[in-house]
Amino acid sequence: MINQIKQQQADNVNDSCADCGSFVDIGAVVEAQDTLLELSFIGDDALARASALKLAAEQRFPGTKASIHHTADQCALTLDFAFSVEKMIFQLENAL
């Protein structure tokens, strides 16, 4: 059964435990307090990319607390979602 499920999955799906190699239920490894997402951007457009993702997160999930720390050609975006599921959804929707 597990082999059949694995064959039907996309190549970029990996639902086995990286530490032990065992097949795991995704819900078993998601922690309720895992709400913080930290992203780094480098380059001339770092601030623009960070700002665009900040706005997208705030519009999609209004309870999100966001901040950008900008230095020269690097930006650090910190997003603190109200719930861990919001973080996961945002990462999936934005291919992060």
Side-chain angles (χ1 to χ4, degrees):
M1 178 77 163
I2 291 176
N3 287 335
Q4 182 182 11
I5 292 170
K6 285 186 174 186
Q7 290 172 352
Q8 294 173 349
Q9 289 177 340
D11 291 327
N12 64 344
V13 173
N14 181 6
D15 48 10
S16 59
C17 176
D19 293 327
C20 64
S22 299
F23 187 82
V24 296
D25 177 8
I26 297 300
V29 295
V30 176
E31 297 183 24
Q33 62 274 17
D34 185 15
T35 59
L36 189 64
L37 178 61
E38 296 175 313
L39 302 167
S40 295
F41 301 89
I42 298 171
D44 295 336
D45 63 343
L47 182 57
R49 291 185 293 141
S51 297
L53 269 181
K54 178 181 180 287
L55 181 61
E58 291 171 335
Q59 288 178 340
R60 179 72 166 94
F61 301 106
T64 302
K65 298 173 186 160
S67 63
I68 295 176
H69 302 283
H70 179 61
T71 59
D73 64 344
Q74 184 173 359
C75 280
L77 171 62
T78 302
L79 300 170
D80 192 3
F81 295 90
F83 303 98
S84 62
V85 69
E86 292 177 346
K87 175 187 169 186
M88 290 176 19
I89 291 169
F90 186 77
Q91 287 175 296
L92 290 170
E93 289 177 342
N94 293 280
L96 301 172

Coordinates of all heavy atoms in Angstrom, one line a residue:
M1 N 0.8 -1.2 0.0 CA 0.0 0.0 0.0 C 0.9 1.3 0.0 O 0.6 2.2 -0.8 CB -0.9 0.0 1.2 CG -1.8 1.2 1.4 SD -3.1 1.1 0.2 CE -4.2 2.3 0.8
I2 N 1.9 1.3 0.9 CA 2.7 2.5 0.9 C 3.5 2.7 -0.4 O 3.6 3.8 -0.8 CB 3.7 2.4 2.1 CG1 2.9 2.5 3.4 CG2 4.8 3.4 2.1 CD1 3.8 2.3 4.7
N3 N 4.0 1.6 -1.0 CA 4.7 1.7 -2.3 C 3.8 2.3 -3.3 O 4.2 3.1 -4.1 CB 5.2 0.4 -2.7 CG 6.4 -0.1 -1.9 OD1 7.1 0.8 -1.3 ND2 6.6 -1.4 -1.8
Q4 N 2.5 1.9 -3.3 CA 1.5 2.4 -4.3 C 1.3 3.9 -4.1 O 1.3 4.7 -5.0 CB 0.2 1.7 -4.2 CG -0.8 2.2 -5.2 CD -2.1 1.5 -5.1 OE1 -2.4 0.7 -4.1 NE2 -3.0 1.6 -6.0
I5 N 1.2 4.4 -2.9 CA 1.1 5.8 -2.5 C 2.3 6.6 -3.0 O 2.2 7.6 -3.6 CB 0.8 6.0 -1.0 CG1 -0.5 5.4 -0.6 CG2 0.9 7.5 -0.6 CD1 -0.7 5.4 0.9
K6 N 3.5 6.0 -2.7 CA 4.7 6.7 -3.1 C 4.8 6.8 -4.6 O 5.3 7.8 -5.2 CB 5.9 6.0 -2.6 CG 6.2 6.2 -1.1 CD 7.5 5.6 -0.7 CE 7.7 5.9 0.8 NZ 9.1 5.5 1.2
Q7 N 4.4 5.8 -5.4 CA 4.4 5.9 -6.8 C 3.5 6.9 -7.4 O 3.7 7.5 -8.5 CB 4.0 4.5 -7.4 CG 5.1 3.4 -7.2 CD 4.6 2.1 -7.6 OE1 3.5 1.9 -7.9 NE2 5.6 1.1 -7.6
Q8 N 2.4 7.2 -6.7 CA 1.4 8.2 -7.2 C 1.8 9.6 -6.8 O 1.2 10.6 -7.3 CB 0.0 7.9 -6.6 CG -0.5 6.6 -7.2 CD -1.8 6.1 -6.5 OE1 -2.2 6.7 -5.5 NE2 -2.5 5.1 -7.1
Q9 N 2.7 9.8 -5.9 CA 3.1 11.1 -5.5 C 4.0 11.8 -6.5 O 4.8 11.2 -7.3 CB 3.9 11.0 -4.2 CG 3.1 10.7 -3.0 CD 3.9 10.5 -1.7 OE1 5.1 10.4 -1.8 NE2 3.2 10.6 -0.6
A10 N 4.0 13.1 -6.5 CA 5.0 13.9 -7.3 C 6.4 13.7 -6.8 O 6.6 13.3 -5.6 CB 4.6 15.4 -7.2
D11 N 7.3 13.9 -7.7 CA 8.7 13.6 -7.3 C 9.2 14.5 -6.2 O 10.2 14.2 -5.5 CB 9.6 13.8 -8.5 CG 9.4 12.7 -9.5 OD1 9.1 11.6 -9.1 OD2 9.5 13.0 -10.7
N12 N 8.6 15.7 -6.0 CA 9.1 16.6 -5.0 C 8.4 16.4 -3.6 O 8.7 17.2 -2.7 CB 8.9 18.1 -5.4 CG 7.4 18.4 -5.6 OD1 6.6 17.6 -5.6 ND2 7.1 19.7 -5.7
V13 N 7.6 15.4 -3.5 CA 7.0 15.0 -2.2 C 7.8 14.0 -1.5 O 8.2 13.0 -2.0 CB 5.6 14.5 -2.4 CG1 5.0 14.0 -1.1 CG2 4.7 15.5 -3.1
N14 N 8.1 14.3 -0.2 CA 8.9 13.4 0.6 C 8.2 13.4 2.0 O 8.4 14.3 2.8 CB 10.4 13.8 0.7 CG 11.2 12.9 1.6 OD1 10.7 11.8 2.0 ND2 12.4 13.2 1.9
D15 N 7.5 12.3 2.2 CA 6.8 12.2 3.5 C 7.4 11.1 4.4 O 6.7 10.3 5.0 CB 5.3 12.1 3.4 CG 4.9 11.0 2.4 OD1 5.8 10.3 1.9 OD2 3.7 11.0 2.0
S16 N 8.7 11.1 4.4 CA 9.4 10.1 5.3 C 10.3 11.0 6.3 O 10.7 12.1 6.0 CB 10.3 9.1 4.6 OG 11.2 9.8 3.8
C17 N 10.5 10.4 7.4 CA 11.2 11.1 8.5 C 12.7 11.2 8.1 O 13.4 10.2 7.8 CB 11.1 10.4 9.8 SG 12.1 11.1 11.1
A18 N 13.3 12.4 8.0 CA 14.7 12.6 7.6 C 15.6 12.0 8.6 O 16.7 11.6 8.3 CB 14.9 14.1 7.5
D19 N 15.2 11.9 9.9 CA 16.1 11.4 10.9 C 16.1 9.8 11.0 O 17.2 9.3 11.1 CB 15.7 11.9 12.3 CG 15.9 13.4 12.5 OD1 16.8 13.9 11.9 OD2 15.1 14.0 13.2
C20 N 15.0 9.2 10.8 CA 15.0 7.8 10.9 C 14.6 7.0 9.6 O 14.7 5.8 9.6 CB 14.0 7.4 12.0 SG 12.3 7.8 11.7
G21 N 14.2 7.7 8.6 CA 13.8 7.1 7.3 C 12.5 6.5 7.3 O 12.1 5.8 6.3
S22 N 11.7 6.6 8.4 CA 10.4 6.0 8.4 C 9.3 6.8 7.8 O 9.4 8.0 7.8 CB 10.0 5.7 9.9 OG 10.9 4.9 10.5
F23 N 8.3 6.2 7.2 CA 7.2 6.8 6.7 C 6.4 7.5 7.8 O 6.2 6.9 8.8 CB 6.3 5.8 5.9 CG 5.1 6.4 5.2 CD1 5.3 6.9 3.9 CD2 3.9 6.5 5.7 CE1 4.3 7.5 3.2 CE2 2.8 7.0 5.0 CZ 3.0 7.5 3.8
V24 N 6.0 8.8 7.7 CA 5.4 9.5 8.8 C 4.1 10.2 8.3 O 4.0 10.5 7.1 CB 6.3 10.5 9.4 CG1 7.4 9.9 10.1 CG2 6.7 11.6 8.4
D25 N 3.2 10.4 9.2 CA 2.0 11.2 8.9 C 2.4 12.6 9.1 O 3.0 13.0 10.1 CB 0.9 10.8 9.9 CG -0.3 11.6 9.8 OD1 -0.4 12.4 8.8 OD2 -1.2 11.5 10.6
I26 N 2.2 13.5 8.0 CA 2.6 14.9 8.1 C 2.1 15.6 9.3 O 2.8 16.3 10.0 CB 2.2 15.6 6.8 CG1 2.8 15.0 5.6 CG2 2.5 17.1 6.9 CD1 4.3 15.0 5.6
G27 N 0.9 15.3 9.7 CA 0.3 16.0 10.9 C 1.1 15.6 12.2 O 1.0 16.4 13.2
A28 N 1.8 14.6 12.2 CA 2.6 14.2 13.4 C 3.8 15.0 13.6 O 4.4 15.0 14.7 CB 2.9 12.7 13.3
V29 N 4.3 15.7 12.6 CA 5.5 16.4 12.7 C 5.3 17.9 12.7 O 6.3 18.7 12.8 CB 6.6 16.1 11.6 CG1 7.0 14.6 11.8 CG2 6.0 16.3 10.2
V30 N 4.1 18.4 12.7 CA 3.8 19.8 12.7 C 3.5 20.2 14.1 O 2.6 19.6 14.8 CB 2.5 20.1 11.8 CG1 2.2 21.6 11.9 CG2 2.9 19.8 10.4
E31 N 4.2 21.2 14.6 CA 4.0 21.7 16.0 C 3.1 22.9 16.0 O 3.3 23.8 15.2 CB 5.3 22.0 16.6 CG 6.2 20.7 16.8 CD 7.5 21.0 17.5 OE1 7.6 22.0 18.3 OE2 8.4 20.2 17.3
A32 N 2.2 23.0 16.9 CA 1.3 24.1 17.0 C 2.0 25.5 17.2 O 1.5 26.5 16.7 CB 0.3 23.9 18.2
Q33 N 3.1 25.5 17.9 CA 3.8 26.7 18.1 C 4.8 27.1 17.0 O 5.5 28.1 17.1 CB 4.5 26.7 19.5 CG 5.6 25.7 19.6 CD 5.1 24.3 20.1 OE1 3.9 24.0 20.0 NE2 6.0 23.5 20.5
D34 N 4.8 26.3 15.9 CA 5.7 26.6 14.8 C 5.1 27.7 13.9 O 4.6 27.3 12.8 CB 6.0 25.3 14.0 CG 7.0 25.5 12.9 OD1 7.7 26.6 12.9 OD2 7.1 24.6 12.1
T35 N 5.1 28.9 14.3 CA 4.4 30.0 13.5 C 5.4 31.0 12.9 O 5.0 31.8 12.1 CB 3.5 30.8 14.5 OG1 4.3 31.3 15.5 CG2 2.4 29.9 15.0
L36 N 6.7 30.9 13.2 CA 7.7 31.9 12.8 C 8.3 31.4 11.5 O 8.9 30.3 11.4 CB 8.7 32.1 13.9 CG 9.7 33.3 13.6 CD1 9.0 34.6 13.6 CD2 10.8 33.2 14.7
L37 N 8.3 32.3 10.5 CA 9.0 32.1 9.2 C 10.0 33.2 9.0 O 9.6 34.4 9.0 CB 7.9 32.0 8.1 CG 8.4 31.8 6.6 CD1 9.2 30.5 6.5 CD2 7.3 31.9 5.6
E38 N 11.2 32.8 8.8 CA 12.3 33.8 8.5 C 12.9 33.5 7.1 O 13.3 32.4 6.8 CB 13.4 33.7 9.6 CG 12.9 34.0 11.0 CD 13.9 33.8 12.1 OE1 14.5 32.7 12.1 OE2 14.0 34.7 12.9
L39 N 12.9 34.6 6.3 CA 13.4 34.5 5.0 C 14.5 35.5 4.7 O 14.4 36.6 5.2 CB 12.2 34.7 4.0 CG 11.1 33.7 4.1 CD1 9.9 34.2 3.3 CD2 11.5 32.4 3.6
S40 N 15.5 35.2 3.9 CA 16.5 36.1 3.6 C 16.5 36.3 2.1 O 16.3 35.4 1.3 CB 17.9 35.5 4.0 OG 18.0 35.4 5.4
F41 N 16.8 37.6 1.7 CA 16.8 38.0 0.3 C 18.1 38.7 0.0 O 18.5 39.6 0.8 CB 15.6 38.9 -0.1 CG 14.3 38.2 0.2 CD1 13.7 38.4 1.4 CD2 13.6 37.5 -0.8 CE1 12.4 37.8 1.7 CE2 12.4 36.9 -0.6 CZ 11.8 37.0 0.7
I42 N 18.7 38.4 -1.1 CA 20.0 39.0 -1.4 C 19.9 39.6 -2.8 O 19.3 39.0 -3.7 CB 21.2 38.0 -1.4 CG1 21.3 37.4 0.0 CG2 22.5 38.6 -1.9 CD1 22.3 36.3 0.1
G43 N 20.5 40.8 -3.0 CA 20.5 41.4 -4.4 C 19.9 42.7 -4.4 O 19.4 43.2 -3.4
D44 N 20.0 43.3 -5.5 CA 19.4 44.7 -5.7 C 17.9 44.8 -5.4 O 17.5 45.8 -5.0 CB 19.7 45.2 -7.1 CG 21.2 45.4 -7.3 OD1 22.0 45.5 -6.4 OD2 21.7 45.4 -8.5
D45 N 17.2 43.7 -5.7 CA 15.8 43.8 -5.5 C 15.3 43.1 -4.2 O 14.2 42.7 -4.1 CB 15.1 43.1 -6.7 CG 15.4 41.7 -6.9 OD1 16.4 41.2 -6.3 OD2 14.7 40.9 -7.6
A46 N 16.2 42.9 -3.3 CA 15.9 42.2 -2.1 C 14.8 42.8 -1.3 O 13.9 42.2 -0.8 CB 17.2 42.1 -1.2
L47 N 14.9 44.2 -1.2 CA 13.8 44.9 -0.4 C 12.5 44.7 -1.1 O 11.4 44.5 -0.4 CB 14.2 46.3 -0.2 CG 13.2 47.2 0.6 CD1 13.0 46.6 2.0 CD2 13.7 48.6 0.7
A48 N 12.4 44.8 -2.4 CA 11.2 44.7 -3.2 C 10.6 43.3 -3.0 O 9.4 43.2 -2.8 CB 11.4 45.1 -4.6
R49 N 11.4 42.3 -3.1 CA 10.9 40.9 -2.9 C 10.4 40.7 -1.5 O 9.3 40.1 -1.3 CB 11.9 39.9 -3.3 CG 12.2 39.9 -4.8 CD 13.2 38.8 -5.3 NE 14.5 39.1 -4.7 CZ 15.3 38.1 -4.3 NH1 14.9 36.9 -4.3 NH2 16.5 38.4 -3.8
A50 N 11.1 41.2 -0.5 CA 10.7 41.0 0.9 C 9.4 41.8 1.1 O 8.5 41.2 1.8 CB 11.8 41.5 1.8
S51 N 9.3 43.0 0.6 CA 8.1 43.8 0.8 C 6.9 43.1 0.2 O 5.8 43.2 0.7 CB 8.3 45.2 0.2 OG 9.4 45.8 0.9
A52 N 7.1 42.5 -1.0 CA 6.0 41.9 -1.7 C 5.5 40.7 -0.9 O 4.2 40.5 -0.8 CB 6.4 41.5 -3.1
L53 N 6.4 39.9 -0.4 CA 5.9 38.7 0.4 C 5.3 39.2 1.8 O 4.4 38.6 2.2 CB 7.1 37.8 0.7 CG 7.3 36.7 -0.3 CD1 8.5 35.8 0.1 CD2 6.1 35.9 -0.5
K54 N 5.8 40.3 2.3 CA 5.3 40.8 3.6 C 3.8 41.2 3.3 O 2.9 40.8 4.1 CB 6.1 42.0 4.1 CG 5.6 42.7 5.3 CD 6.5 43.9 5.7 CE 6.0 44.6 6.9 NZ 4.8 45.4 6.7
L55 N 3.6 41.9 2.3 CA 2.2 42.4 1.9 C 1.3 41.2 1.7 O 0.2 41.2 2.1 CB 2.3 43.3 0.7 CG 1.0 43.9 0.2 CD1 0.3 44.7 1.3 CD2 1.2 44.7 -1.0
A56 N 1.8 40.2 0.9 CA 1.0 39.0 0.6 C 0.6 38.3 1.9 O -0.5 37.9 2.0 CB 1.8 38.1 -0.3
A57 N 1.5 38.2 2.8 CA 1.2 37.5 4.1 C 0.2 38.2 4.9 O -0.7 37.7 5.4 CB 2.5 37.3 4.9
E58 N 0.4 39.5 5.0 CA -0.6 40.4 5.8 C -1.9 40.4 5.1 O -2.9 40.4 5.9 CB 0.0 41.8 5.9 CG 1.2 41.9 6.8 CD 1.9 43.2 6.7 OE1 1.8 44.0 5.7 OE2 2.6 43.5 7.7
Q59 N -2.0 40.4 3.8 CA -3.3 40.4 3.2 C -4.0 39.0 3.3 O -5.2 38.9 3.5 CB -3.2 40.7 1.7 CG -2.9 42.2 1.5 CD -2.7 42.6 0.0 OE1 -2.4 41.7 -0.8 NE2 -2.8 43.8 -0.3
R60 N -3.2 37.9 3.2 CA -3.8 36.6 3.2 C -4.2 36.2 4.7 O -5.2 35.6 4.9 CB -2.8 35.6 2.7 CG -3.2 34.1 2.7 CD -4.3 33.9 1.7 NE -4.5 32.5 1.5 CZ -5.4 31.7 2.1 NH1 -6.2 32.3 3.0 NH2 -5.5 30.4 1.8
F61 N -3.4 36.6 5.6 CA -3.6 36.3 7.0 C -3.4 37.5 7.9 O -2.3 37.9 8.3 CB -2.6 35.2 7.5 CG -2.7 33.9 6.7 CD1 -1.8 33.6 5.8 CD2 -3.8 33.1 6.9 CE1 -1.9 32.4 5.0 CE2 -3.9 31.9 6.1 CZ -3.0 31.6 5.2
P62 N -4.5 38.3 8.0 CA -4.4 39.6 8.7 C -3.8 39.6 10.1 O -3.3 40.7 10.5 CB -5.9 40.1 8.8 CG -6.6 39.3 7.7 CD -5.9 38.0 7.6
G63 N -3.8 38.5 10.8 CA -3.2 38.5 12.1 C -1.7 38.3 12.1 O -1.0 38.3 13.2
T64 N -1.1 38.3 11.0 CA 0.4 38.1 10.8 C 1.1 39.3 11.3 O 0.8 40.4 10.9 CB 0.7 37.7 9.4 OG1 0.0 36.6 9.0 CG2 2.2 37.4 9.2
K65 N 2.2 39.1 12.1 CA 3.1 40.1 12.5 C 4.3 40.0 11.6 O 4.9 39.0 11.5 CB 3.5 40.0 14.0 CG 2.3 40.1 14.9 CD 2.7 39.8 16.3 CE 1.4 39.8 17.2 NZ 1.7 39.1 18.4
A66 N 4.7 41.1 10.9 CA 5.8 41.1 10.0 C 6.7 42.2 10.2 O 6.4 43.3 10.6 CB 5.2 41.1 8.5
S67 N 8.0 41.9 9.9 CA 9.0 43.0 10.0 C 10.1 42.7 8.9 O 10.4 41.5 8.6 CB 9.6 43.1 11.4 OG 10.3 41.9 11.7
I68 N 10.7 43.7 8.4 CA 11.8 43.6 7.5 C 13.0 44.4 8.1 O 12.9 45.5 8.5 CB 11.4 44.3 6.1 CG1 10.3 43.5 5.5 CG2 12.7 44.3 5.2 CD1 9.8 44.1 4.2
H69 N 14.2 43.7 8.0 CA 15.4 44.3 8.4 C 16.3 44.4 7.2 O 16.6 43.3 6.6 CB 16.1 43.5 9.5 CG 15.2 43.3 10.8 ND1 15.1 44.3 11.7 CD2 14.5 42.3 11.2 CE1 14.2 43.9 12.6 NE2 13.8 42.7 12.3
H70 N 16.6 45.6 6.8 CA 17.3 45.8 5.5 C 18.7 46.4 5.8 O 18.9 47.3 6.5 CB 16.5 46.9 4.7 CG 17.1 47.2 3.4 ND1 17.3 46.3 2.4 CD2 17.5 48.4 2.9 CE1 17.8 46.9 1.4 NE2 18.0 48.2 1.6
T71 N 19.7 45.7 5.1 CA 21.1 46.2 5.2 C 21.7 46.1 3.8 O 21.6 45.0 3.1 CB 22.0 45.4 6.1 OG1 22.0 44.0 5.7 CG2 21.5 45.4 7.5
A72 N 22.2 47.2 3.2 CA 22.9 47.2 1.9 C 22.1 46.5 0.9 O 21.0 46.9 0.4 CB 24.3 46.8 2.0
D73 N 22.5 45.3 0.5 CA 21.8 44.5 -0.6 C 21.2 43.2 0.0 O 21.0 42.3 -0.7 CB 22.8 44.2 -1.7 CG 23.9 43.3 -1.3 OD1 24.1 43.1 0.0 OD2 24.6 42.7 -2.1
Q74 N 20.9 43.2 1.3 CA 20.3 42.0 1.9 C 19.1 42.4 2.8 O 19.2 43.5 3.5 CB 21.3 41.3 2.7 CG 20.8 40.0 3.3 CD 21.9 39.2 4.0 OE1 23.1 39.6 4.1 NE2 21.5 38.1 4.6
C75 N 18.1 41.6 2.8 CA 16.9 41.8 3.6 C 16.6 40.6 4.3 O 16.7 39.5 3.8 CB 15.7 42.2 2.8 SG 15.7 43.9 2.3
A76 N 16.1 40.7 5.6 CA 15.6 39.6 6.3 C 14.1 39.9 6.6 O 13.8 40.9 7.2 CB 16.4 39.4 7.6
L77 N 13.3 39.0 6.2 CA 11.8 39.1 6.4 C 11.4 38.1 7.5 O 11.8 37.0 7.4 CB 11.1 38.8 5.1 CG 9.5 38.7 5.3 CD1 8.9 40.0 5.8 CD2 9.0 38.3 3.9
T78 N 10.8 38.6 8.5 CA 10.3 37.8 9.6 C 8.7 37.9 9.6 O 8.2 38.9 9.7 CB 10.8 38.2 11.0 OG1 12.2 38.2 10.9 CG2 10.3 37.3 12.1
L79 N 8.1 36.7 9.5 CA 6.7 36.6 9.5 C 6.3 35.7 10.7 O 6.7 34.6 10.8 CB 6.1 36.0 8.2 CG 6.5 36.7 6.9 CD1 6.1 35.9 5.7 CD2 5.7 38.1 6.9
D80 N 5.5 36.2 11.6 CA 5.0 35.5 12.7 C 3.5 35.3 12.5 O 2.7 36.3 12.7 CB 5.3 36.2 14.0 CG 5.1 35.3 15.2 OD1 4.7 34.1 15.0 OD2 5.3 35.7 16.3
F81 N 3.0 34.1 12.1 CA 1.6 33.8 11.9 C 0.9 33.5 13.2 O 1.5 33.1 14.1 CB 1.5 32.7 10.9 CG 2.1 33.0 9.5 CD1 3.4 32.7 9.2 CD2 1.3 33.5 8.5 CE1 3.9 33.0 8.0 CE2 1.8 33.8 7.3 CZ 3.1 33.5 7.0
A82 N -0.4 33.7 13.2 CA -1.2 33.4 14.4 C -1.3 31.9 14.6 O -1.3 31.5 15.8 CB -2.6 34.0 14.2
F83 N -1.3 31.1 13.5 CA -1.4 29.7 13.7 C -0.4 29.0 12.7 O -0.1 29.5 11.7 CB -2.8 29.2 13.3 CG -3.9 29.9 14.1 CD1 -4.6 31.0 13.7 CD2 -4.2 29.4 15.4 CE1 -5.5 31.6 14.4 CE2 -5.1 30.0 16.2 CZ -5.8 31.1 15.7
S84 N 0.1 27.8 13.1 CA 1.1 27.1 12.3 C 0.5 26.7 11.0 O 1.2 26.7 10.0 CB 1.6 25.9 13.1 OG 0.6 25.0 13.3
V85 N -0.8 26.5 10.9 CA -1.4 26.1 9.6 C -1.3 27.3 8.6 O -1.1 27.0 7.4 CB -2.8 25.6 9.8 CG1 -3.8 26.7 10.2 CG2 -3.3 24.9 8.5
E86 N -1.4 28.5 9.1 CA -1.3 29.7 8.3 C 0.1 29.7 7.6 O 0.3 30.0 6.5 CB -1.6 30.9 9.0 CG -3.0 31.1 9.5 CD -3.3 32.3 10.3 OE1 -2.3 33.0 10.8 OE2 -4.4 32.6 10.5
K87 N 1.1 29.4 8.4 CA 2.5 29.4 7.9 C 2.6 28.4 6.9 O 3.2 28.6 5.8 CB 3.5 29.1 9.1 CG 4.9 29.0 8.6 CD 5.8 28.5 9.8 CE 7.2 28.1 9.3 NZ 8.0 27.5 10.4
M88 N 2.1 27.2 7.1 CA 2.2 26.1 6.1 C 1.5 26.4 4.8 O 2.0 26.2 3.7 CB 1.7 24.8 6.7 CG 2.5 24.2 7.8 SD 1.9 22.7 8.6 CE 0.7 22.1 7.6
I89 N 0.3 27.0 4.9 CA -0.5 27.3 3.7 C 0.3 28.4 3.0 O 0.4 28.3 1.7 CB -1.9 27.8 4.1 CG1 -2.7 26.7 4.7 CG2 -2.6 28.5 3.0 CD1 -4.0 27.1 5.3
F90 N 0.8 29.4 3.6 CA 1.6 30.5 3.0 C 2.8 29.9 2.3 O 3.1 30.3 1.1 CB 2.0 31.6 4.0 CG 2.6 32.8 3.4 CD1 1.8 33.7 2.7 CD2 3.9 33.0 3.4 CE1 2.4 34.8 2.1 CE2 4.5 34.1 2.8 CZ 3.7 35.0 2.2
Q91 N 3.5 29.0 2.9 CA 4.7 28.5 2.3 C 4.3 27.7 1.0 O 5.0 27.8 0.0 CB 5.4 27.5 3.3 CG 6.1 28.3 4.3 CD 6.8 27.4 5.4 OE1 6.0 26.7 6.1 NE2 8.1 27.3 5.4
L92 N 3.2 26.9 1.1 CA 2.8 26.1 -0.1 C 2.3 27.0 -1.2 O 2.7 26.8 -2.4 CB 1.7 25.2 0.3 CG 2.1 24.0 1.2 CD1 0.8 23.3 1.8 CD2 3.0 23.1 0.5
E93 N 1.5 28.1 -0.9 CA 1.0 29.0 -1.9 C 2.1 29.8 -2.6 O 2.0 30.1 -3.7 CB 0.0 29.9 -1.3 CG -1.3 29.3 -0.9 CD -2.3 30.3 -0.2 OE1 -1.8 31.3 0.3 OE2 -3.4 29.9 -0.1
N94 N 3.2 30.0 -1.9 CA 4.3 30.8 -2.4 C 5.5 30.0 -2.8 O 6.6 30.6 -3.0 CB 4.6 32.0 -1.5 CG 3.4 32.9 -1.4 OD1 3.3 33.8 -2.2 ND2 2.6 32.8 -0.3
A95 N 5.4 28.7 -2.8 CA 6.5 27.8 -3.1 C 7.8 28.2 -2.3 O 8.9 28.3 -2.8 CB 6.8 27.9 -4.6
L96 N 7.6 28.3 -1.0 CA 8.8 28.6 -0.1 C 9.3 27.4 0.6 O 8.5 26.5 1.0 CB 8.4 29.7 0.9 CG 7.9 31.0 0.4 CD1 7.3 31.9 1.5 CD2 9.0 31.7 -0.4

